[in-house]
Amino acid sequence: MRINRGVHRVRAYVRSAPGTYVWLAVLFVTTVALHHMSPEFEEEFLRQRSTNIHELSSNPLRVLVASAMWIDSGHWLPYVVLYSLFHAPAERWLGTARWLAVCAAAHVLATLISEGALLWGIRHGMAPASSVNTLDIGVSYALAGVIAVLVYRIPAPWRYGYGFAVLVVYTVPLVTGRAFTDLGHFTSVLIGFGCYPLVRGRERTRNPKETATASAG
């Protein structure tokens, strides 16, 4: 009986955030596919789906979508945890359309800004010319944006501590590493914070009793 209740709760939770778990399912399939590729083929395969300067200049829409369907680390399980902790609550709170808008804004804008900064670095001799073909895929920009937008779901004064912690986590790598991806992650966080118009009217944190009742129904 307890097992059946547990399964029912898991199913209800997954159904409450369909976009999150469809995305996770796609990432599972693509991750399995990566594990069946040779290292040489995998690198070239991913490079063609990378949001690097070369691909963005020739196939921007295709690579912006394709790059968000692959995990560069090849490890899927950590993303199950991260998606369940951040994406699923954000989708349930905002609704699928608004959640997807935050994801898209963070992924697209952070990619364009970070790659633009890299192009500037190449033109000014601060990065090698080969960087136009660098490998840049993954879902971390969208995740960073969603982590940031969740600050508006947390009541004051706790939201200020959460927001500060998010800034620290993403600012330290930018200051110490100064890689274009660090700039992308930091930009994603700022975009997430800037998505307040999408969450206006939804700032009130859910009552746990209301959530439990809704899940049971």
Side-chain angles (χ1 to χ4, degrees), residues 37-55:
M37 298 179 187
S38 66
E40 297 79 12
F41 180 80
E42 176 184 331
E43 182 176 355
E44 182 59 27
F45 179 85
L46 292 179
R47 198 175 303 281
Q48 293 176 7
R49 288 153 181 80
S50 172
T51 49
N52 55 43
I53 296 169
H54 173 71
E55 295 294 338

Side-chain angles (χ1 to χ4, degrees), residues 91-175:
E91 185 180 359
R92 294 172 63 207
W93 171 49
L94 295 174
T96 299
R98 294 189 185 195
W99 161 78
L100 190 58
V102 175
C103 292
H107 176 67
V108 173
L109 295 179
T111 294
L112 296 178
I113 291 171
S114 60
E115 291 293 341
L118 180 59
L119 179 60
W120 183 90
I122 293 172
R123 289 177 174 175
H124 288 80
M126 301 173 65
S130 59
S131 296
V132 297
N133 286 311
T134 190
L135 188 61
D136 184 18
I137 63 165
V139 299
S140 57
Y141 290 169
L143 179 61
V146 166
I147 289 173
V149 81
L150 280 170
V151 71
Y152 299 115
R153 191 174 189 265
I154 301 172
W158 309 110
R159 71 169 51 174
Y160 305 115
Y162 176 87
F164 178 74
V166 171
L167 277 176
V168 169
V169 167
Y170 286 98
T171 301
V172 170
L174 177 63
V175 174

